[in-house]
Amino acid sequence: MLSSETHRAVEAIWRIESAKIIAALARRVRDIGLAEELAQEALVAALERWPDQGIPDNPGAWLVAVAKRRAIDFIRHKVLRQRKEPELAREIEAQLQDAAPPQTDAALDEPVDDDLLRLIFIACHPVLSTEARVALTLRLLGGLTTEEIARAFLVPEPTIAQRIVRAKRTLAEAHVPFEVPRGSELAGRLASVLEVIYLIFNEGYAATAGDRWLRPELCDEASRLGRILAELAPAEPEAHGLVALMEFQASRSRARVGPGGEPILLLDQNRARWDHVLIRRGFAALARVDALGRVYGPYALQAAIAGCHARASVAAETDWERIAALYDALAQVVPSPVVELNRAVALAMAFGPAAGLEAVDALNSEPLLKNYHLLPSVRGDFLVKLERFDEARAEFERAATLTRNRRERELLSERARRCVGGSGSTTQKGFPIHVDG
């Protein structure tokens, strides 16, 4: 019987090594679904043998060796089925020699960087829907189970399973090559990869639904994937920009939640609880963007905004005018009503609530913000500061009905109740819930 200690060890090793194994196999068999199946067979072999034989000194190499032998067996059977011409047979036989079973100790000697980079670009391929990209990335590169992904996104497990199956089938039917895109195609494909990592992080940073304000496991996974990508593509400034953004935002995690799981907003956080190791890593990643000597893209600009908060040891030291200017630049690069909403917050903090209200009222007719709970939330905050409490209460009540996150709904409802007494805030500053929280 598999002991709990061995089981935990196998799970930990699999989480670390699975992406490398799948990537190496996918290069040989040219099929992500098949590569994952072969890797899973290696995992099953480990679960069967390690309890009796003990965990190998190099468990990753052991898994790679077993998985590659499985791949060789598959290719050999494929040869027997498809040997119609001597030329074809010779071609596949060459593949067999290339995939010769390695010695266990040398199984990881081959560089895996290229294989991992290819796998990242395939899992995040634009031919897939956004939801499918996210699920497949967490499955293949994060090593998460279908159950874990479903739980993280509050989606039924069969739904996630179907997304993953359809994603693999779509990639196979589209004959997506197992390669890193080149030339002009690289920029578009890189944008897709960065978007997936960004979406995973954001869902962890401010969960859209459920009972938890934060899902730190998703933040951790996105940060890990971002760091891998930045090392695999060191000349891409936006990869470093995204890493910087995630490091800065993640540095606040311990200060963003109270003892009962309630949200603590930015101006009320105890900044001594911010993780200064992550902050230093954020600035180091921004420095790598600067060293590349290019104009800041959207992730680097957002990282620069987060860096303004990180530099302020107390809230009163925040350079809101610079933040407003950075949002101006961001709006030029990626025009978006959500960017404008955050710009309105910065304007209010820099130049007063009337300036913020004017900017936010210009967004009332935006279709994309019609059911976006942060619009009435931000507007309600400005109205509180202008002592228009009845109007503010109505905005907070509307915001509470629009959010699907219980913690957020409780906070907004409390702010609405306080408007009756002429306060409007659960905090001294009354800072709105927004992306910089």
Side-chain angles (χ1 to χ4, degrees):
M1 180 179 292
L2 188 65
S3 70
S4 59
E5 183 178 346
T6 303
H7 193 279
R8 285 195 298 271
V10 172
E11 284 185 344
I13 292 165
W14 177 253
R15 187 65 59 89
I16 294 169
E17 303 292 345
S18 60
K20 299 176 186 176
I21 298 169
I22 293 169
L25 293 170
R27 173 164 54 85
R28 284 179 165 81
V29 301
R30 303 287 167 173
D31 183 316
I32 280 186
L34 176 59
E36 188 183 13
E37 288 178 18
L38 294 169
Q40 290 285 345
E41 289 182 16
L43 175 62
V44 170
L47 292 170
E48 291 173 346
R49 300 179 196 175
W50 290 2
D52 296 328
Q53 300 176 0
I55 298 176
D57 292 336
N58 192 338
W62 190 97
L63 287 167
V64 168
V66 171
K68 286 185 178 179
R69 291 189 190 105
R70 297 289 194 277
I72 290 166
D73 289 341
F74 168 80
I75 296 173
R76 186 172 286 119
H77 284 99
K78 183 179 178 181
V79 169
L80 295 175
R81 288 195 308 269
Q82 295 186 350
R83 183 174 289 165
K84 298 177 180 178
E85 302 176 10
E87 190 174 323
L88 176 61
R90 284 195 297 272
E91 178 184 340
I92 299 180
E93 190 63 32
Q95 293 182 34
L96 282 175
Q97 293 174 3
D98 177 59
Q103 296 298 316
T104 299
D105 290 341
L108 291 181
D109 287 348
E110 297 178 3
V112 298
D113 288 2
D114 288 348
D115 285 344
L116 275 176
L117 190 57
R118 291 185 188 103
L119 186 61
I120 289 173
F121 274 98
I122 288 177
C124 300
H125 198 286
V127 73
L128 303 175
S129 69
T130 300
E131 294 82 5
R133 279 180 262 164
V134 167
L136 192 61
T137 298
L138 287 173
R139 173 76 177 201
L140 298 181
L141 291 152
L144 274 65
T145 65
T146 304
E147 179 185 3
E148 287 171 326
I149 300 168
R151 188 168 60 245
F153 284 92
L154 301 178
V155 175
E157 188 174 345
T159 301
I160 293 296
Q162 289 170 8
R163 287 178 186 172
I164 292 171
V165 169
R166 282 198 298 266
K168 294 174 185 175
R169 185 167 60 242
T170 299
L171 291 172
E173 291 173 351
H175 302 291
V176 173
F178 191 72
E179 63 186 21
V180 177
R182 304 293 178 189
S184 59
E185 188 185 359
L186 177 61
R189 291 281 298 280
L190 180 65
S192 176
V193 173
L194 294 172
E195 179 192 21
V196 168
I197 297 173
Y198 182 67
L199 288 172
I200 293 170
F201 184 89
N202 276 353
E203 181 60 29
Y205 190 72
T208 55
D211 296 331
R212 290 194 295 163
W213 173 240
L214 296 178
R215 298 186 183 279
E217 66 277 10
L218 286 179
C219 290
D220 292 344
E221 190 56 42
S223 296
R224 185 182 74 83
L225 292 173
R227 293 178 196 128
I228 290 172
L229 179 62
E231 293 307 316
L232 296 179
E236 298 298 335
E238 277 290 79
H240 302 299
L242 179 57
V243 169
L245 174 61
M246 293 189 294
E247 304 285 22
F248 286 137
Q249 301 290 72
S251 72
R252 307 176 200 156
S253 294
R254 288 180 301 192
R256 293 183 68 230
V257 180
E262 68 278 8
I264 300 177
L265 304 182
L266 182 59
L267 294 191
D268 301 303
Q269 290 169 14
N270 177 1
R271 300 190 177 206
R273 300 195 67 208
W274 286 5
D275 189 328
H276 292 277
V277 171
L278 292 181
I279 289 174
R280 286 196 293 273
R281 286 162 70 165
F283 283 121
L286 262 186
R288 294 182 74 174
V289 177
D290 292 332
L292 291 169
R294 304 196 207 163
V295 176
Y296 274 21
Y299 296 112
L301 284 168
Q302 290 177 75
I305 291 167
C308 288
H309 294 300
R311 286 189 180 92
S313 57
V314 294
E317 295 177 355
T318 307
D319 188 348
W320 285 105
E321 291 189 22
R322 173 163 172 74
I323 290 174
L326 287 167
Y327 272 120
D328 285 339
L330 185 60
Q332 295 295 316
V333 176
V334 281
S336 159
V338 175
V339 171
E340 292 295 340
L341 181 60
N342 282 279
R343 176 176 168 273
V345 173
L347 289 174
M349 297 301 295
F351 306 111
L357 185 62
E358 181 180 358
V360 117
D361 283 347
L363 300 173
N364 282 333
S365 60
E366 283 287 347
L368 289 176
L369 299 182
K370 181 179 179 181
N371 295 311
Y372 188 51
H373 69 284
L374 294 185
L375 178 61
S377 171
V378 169
R379 191 170 190 276
D381 184 76
F382 298 159
L383 290 168
V384 164
K385 292 176 179 177
L386 293 169
E387 299 186 357
R388 293 161 58 177
F389 297 114
D390 288 342
E391 295 172 77
R393 177 177 54 80
E395 295 290 351
F396 289 134
E397 288 174 345
R398 179 168 180 267
T401 65
L402 293 175
T403 183
R404 293 185 292 136
N405 184 281
R406 179 172 69 83
R407 297 292 186 177
E408 203 168 24
R409 184 165 55 250
E410 290 171 351
L411 177 60
L412 290 163
S413 297
E414 176 62 19
R415 296 199 71 185
R417 285 191 292 272
R418 286 177 175 262
C419 285
V420 177
S423 168
S425 175
T426 57
T427 67
Q428 184 179 14
K429 303 292 195 311
F431 195 77
I433 303 170
H434 72 110
V435 68
D436 285 329

mmCIF file of all heavy atoms in Angstrom, residues 79-96:
data_model
loop_
_atom_site.group_PDB
_atom_site.id
_atom_site.type_symbol
_atom_site.label_atom_id
_atom_site.label_comp_id
_atom_site.label_asym_id
_atom_site.label_seq_id
_atom_site.Cartn_x
_atom_site.Cartn_y
_atom_site.Cartn_z
ATOM 1 N N VAL A 79 5.407 2.372 -36.228
ATOM 2 C CA VAL A 79 6.198 1.946 -37.383
ATOM 3 C C VAL A 79 5.585 0.696 -38.011
ATOM 4 O O VAL A 79 5.417 0.590 -39.229
ATOM 5 C CB VAL A 79 7.656 1.679 -36.965
ATOM 6 C CG1 VAL A 79 8.411 0.978 -38.092
ATOM 7 C CG2 VAL A 79 8.352 2.976 -36.594
ATOM 8 N N LEU A 80 5.237 -0.248 -37.157
ATOM 9 C CA LEU A 80 4.677 -1.507 -37.669
ATOM 10 C C LEU A 80 3.355 -1.283 -38.393
ATOM 11 O O LEU A 80 3.055 -1.942 -39.385
ATOM 12 C CB LEU A 80 4.485 -2.495 -36.512
ATOM 13 C CG LEU A 80 5.772 -2.968 -35.834
ATOM 14 C CD1 LEU A 80 5.446 -3.838 -34.622
ATOM 15 C CD2 LEU A 80 6.651 -3.721 -36.827
ATOM 16 N N ARG A 81 2.569 -0.323 -37.882
ATOM 17 C CA ARG A 81 1.271 -0.057 -38.511
ATOM 18 C C ARG A 81 1.417 0.708 -39.810
ATOM 19 O O ARG A 81 0.638 0.545 -40.740
ATOM 20 C CB ARG A 81 0.378 0.751 -37.555
ATOM 21 C CG ARG A 81 -0.138 -0.035 -36.368
ATOM 22 C CD ARG A 81 -1.292 0.715 -35.701
ATOM 23 N NE ARG A 81 -0.956 2.091 -35.394
ATOM 24 C CZ ARG A 81 -0.439 2.481 -34.233
ATOM 25 N NH1 ARG A 81 -0.198 1.588 -33.279
ATOM 26 N NH2 ARG A 81 -0.168 3.753 -34.017
ATOM 27 N N GLN A 82 2.397 1.601 -39.857
ATOM 28 C CA GLN A 82 2.461 2.542 -40.970
ATOM 29 C C GLN A 82 3.556 2.212 -41.985
ATOM 30 O O GLN A 82 3.759 2.952 -42.934
ATOM 31 C CB GLN A 82 2.701 3.963 -40.429
ATOM 32 C CG GLN A 82 1.543 4.476 -39.590
ATOM 33 C CD GLN A 82 1.770 5.927 -39.195
ATOM 34 O OE1 GLN A 82 2.840 6.475 -39.387
ATOM 35 N NE2 GLN A 82 0.745 6.549 -38.654
ATOM 36 N N ARG A 83 4.272 1.106 -41.782
ATOM 37 C CA ARG A 83 5.390 0.811 -42.675
ATOM 38 C C ARG A 83 4.852 0.388 -44.040
ATOM 39 O O ARG A 83 4.611 -0.773 -44.323
ATOM 40 C CB ARG A 83 6.272 -0.283 -42.097
ATOM 41 C CG ARG A 83 7.506 -0.578 -42.961
ATOM 42 C CD ARG A 83 8.432 -1.564 -42.278
ATOM 43 N NE ARG A 83 9.100 -0.968 -41.140
ATOM 44 C CZ ARG A 83 9.730 -1.668 -40.208
ATOM 45 N NH1 ARG A 83 9.743 -2.978 -40.281
ATOM 46 N NH2 ARG A 83 10.323 -1.051 -39.223
ATOM 47 N N LYS A 84 4.663 1.379 -44.883
ATOM 48 C CA LYS A 84 4.163 1.138 -46.237
ATOM 49 C C LYS A 84 5.256 1.374 -47.265
ATOM 50 O O LYS A 84 5.214 0.848 -48.363
ATOM 51 C CB LYS A 84 2.971 2.045 -46.532
ATOM 52 C CG LYS A 84 1.775 1.791 -45.613
ATOM 53 C CD LYS A 84 0.649 2.751 -45.897
ATOM 54 C CE LYS A 84 -0.545 2.509 -44.991
ATOM 55 N NZ LYS A 84 -1.650 3.471 -45.229
ATOM 56 N N GLU A 85 6.200 2.208 -46.900
ATOM 57 C CA GLU A 85 7.280 2.506 -47.828
ATOM 58 C C GLU A 85 8.592 2.437 -47.055
ATOM 59 O O GLU A 85 8.663 2.874 -45.909
ATOM 60 C CB GLU A 85 7.122 3.910 -48.416
ATOM 61 C CG GLU A 85 5.812 4.124 -49.152
ATOM 62 C CD GLU A 85 5.690 5.562 -49.621
ATOM 63 O OE1 GLU A 85 6.692 6.300 -49.522
ATOM 64 O OE2 GLU A 85 4.603 5.935 -50.077
ATOM 65 N N PRO A 86 9.631 1.963 -47.675
ATOM 66 C CA PRO A 86 10.938 1.915 -46.993
ATOM 67 C C PRO A 86 11.385 3.294 -46.507
ATOM 68 O O PRO A 86 11.993 3.425 -45.451
ATOM 69 C CB PRO A 86 11.879 1.362 -48.080
ATOM 70 C CG PRO A 86 10.977 0.620 -49.011
ATOM 71 C CD PRO A 86 9.678 1.347 -49.008
ATOM 72 N N GLU A 87 11.059 4.306 -47.306
ATOM 73 C CA GLU A 87 11.472 5.659 -46.943
ATOM 74 C C GLU A 87 10.824 6.093 -45.632
ATOM 75 O O GLU A 87 11.466 6.665 -44.756
ATOM 76 C CB GLU A 87 11.090 6.625 -48.060
ATOM 77 C CG GLU A 87 11.694 8.007 -47.896
ATOM 78 C CD GLU A 87 11.401 8.867 -49.114
ATOM 79 O OE1 GLU A 87 11.405 8.324 -50.242
ATOM 80 O OE2 GLU A 87 11.180 10.068 -48.922
ATOM 81 N N LEU A 88 9.518 5.782 -45.492
ATOM 82 C CA LEU A 88 8.808 6.137 -44.273
ATOM 83 C C LEU A 88 9.382 5.356 -43.093
ATOM 84 O O LEU A 88 9.571 5.894 -42.005
ATOM 85 C CB LEU A 88 7.314 5.835 -44.422
ATOM 86 C CG LEU A 88 6.450 6.082 -43.173
ATOM 87 C CD1 LEU A 88 6.493 7.537 -42.757
ATOM 88 C CD2 LEU A 88 5.019 5.635 -43.430
ATOM 89 N N ALA A 89 9.660 4.093 -43.316
ATOM 90 C CA ALA A 89 10.209 3.266 -42.243
ATOM 91 C C ALA A 89 11.548 3.810 -41.762
ATOM 92 O O ALA A 89 11.823 3.862 -40.566
ATOM 93 C CB ALA A 89 10.367 1.822 -42.721
ATOM 94 N N ARG A 90 12.394 4.217 -42.730
ATOM 95 C CA ARG A 90 13.703 4.760 -42.345
ATOM 96 C C ARG A 90 13.548 6.046 -41.541
ATOM 97 O O ARG A 90 14.278 6.289 -40.579
ATOM 98 C CB ARG A 90 14.550 5.013 -43.603
ATOM 99 C CG ARG A 90 15.125 3.745 -44.221
ATOM 100 C CD ARG A 90 16.217 4.097 -45.218
ATOM 101 N NE ARG A 90 15.699 4.876 -46.334
ATOM 102 C CZ ARG A 90 15.191 4.357 -47.439
ATOM 103 N NH1 ARG A 90 15.118 3.036 -47.578
ATOM 104 N NH2 ARG A 90 14.744 5.131 -48.413
ATOM 105 N N GLU A 91 12.576 6.869 -41.941
ATOM 106 C CA GLU A 91 12.355 8.141 -41.233
ATOM 107 C C GLU A 91 11.960 7.898 -39.780
ATOM 108 O O GLU A 91 12.489 8.529 -38.864
ATOM 109 C CB GLU A 91 11.258 8.941 -41.950
ATOM 110 C CG GLU A 91 10.928 10.254 -41.254
ATOM 111 C CD GLU A 91 9.770 10.978 -41.929
ATOM 112 O OE1 GLU A 91 9.497 10.679 -43.110
ATOM 113 O OE2 GLU A 91 9.138 11.809 -41.267
ATOM 114 N N ILE A 92 11.045 6.941 -39.579
ATOM 115 C CA ILE A 92 10.582 6.692 -38.224
ATOM 116 C C ILE A 92 11.658 5.964 -37.419
ATOM 117 O O ILE A 92 11.818 6.185 -36.233
ATOM 118 C CB ILE A 92 9.260 5.897 -38.240
ATOM 119 C CG1 ILE A 92 8.195 6.712 -38.971
ATOM 120 C CG2 ILE A 92 8.787 5.578 -36.835
ATOM 121 C CD1 ILE A 92 6.840 6.037 -39.070
ATOM 122 N N GLU A 93 12.421 5.114 -38.078
ATOM 123 C CA GLU A 93 13.513 4.434 -37.389
ATOM 124 C C GLU A 93 14.526 5.451 -36.876
ATOM 125 O O GLU A 93 15.099 5.298 -35.790
ATOM 126 C CB GLU A 93 14.187 3.435 -38.338
ATOM 127 C CG GLU A 93 15.175 2.516 -37.636
ATOM 128 C CD GLU A 93 14.488 1.638 -36.603
ATOM 129 O OE1 GLU A 93 13.310 1.274 -36.805
ATOM 130 O OE2 GLU A 93 15.127 1.319 -35.589
ATOM 131 N N ALA A 94 14.724 6.526 -37.655
ATOM 132 C CA ALA A 94 15.619 7.594 -37.206
ATOM 133 C C ALA A 94 15.075 8.252 -35.943
ATOM 134 O O ALA A 94 15.824 8.605 -35.033
ATOM 135 C CB ALA A 94 15.796 8.629 -38.316
ATOM 136 N N GLN A 95 13.753 8.394 -35.899
ATOM 137 C CA GLN A 95 13.136 8.944 -34.691
ATOM 138 C C GLN A 95 13.397 8.023 -33.506
ATOM 139 O O GLN A 95 13.646 8.478 -32.386
ATOM 140 C CB GLN A 95 11.625 9.108 -34.883
ATOM 141 C CG GLN A 95 11.231 10.166 -35.904
ATOM 142 C CD GLN A 95 9.717 10.297 -36.000
ATOM 143 O OE1 GLN A 95 9.006 10.142 -35.021
ATOM 144 N NE2 GLN A 95 9.232 10.566 -37.186
ATOM 145 N N LEU A 96 13.336 6.711 -33.753
ATOM 146 C CA LEU A 96 13.580 5.750 -32.685
ATOM 147 C C LEU A 96 14.985 5.901 -32.127
ATOM 148 O O LEU A 96 15.200 5.895 -30.923
ATOM 149 C CB LEU A 96 13.386 4.325 -33.208
ATOM 150 C CG LEU A 96 11.947 3.822 -33.365
ATOM 151 C CD1 LEU A 96 11.965 2.443 -34.008
ATOM 152 C CD2 LEU A 96 11.257 3.776 -32.026
#
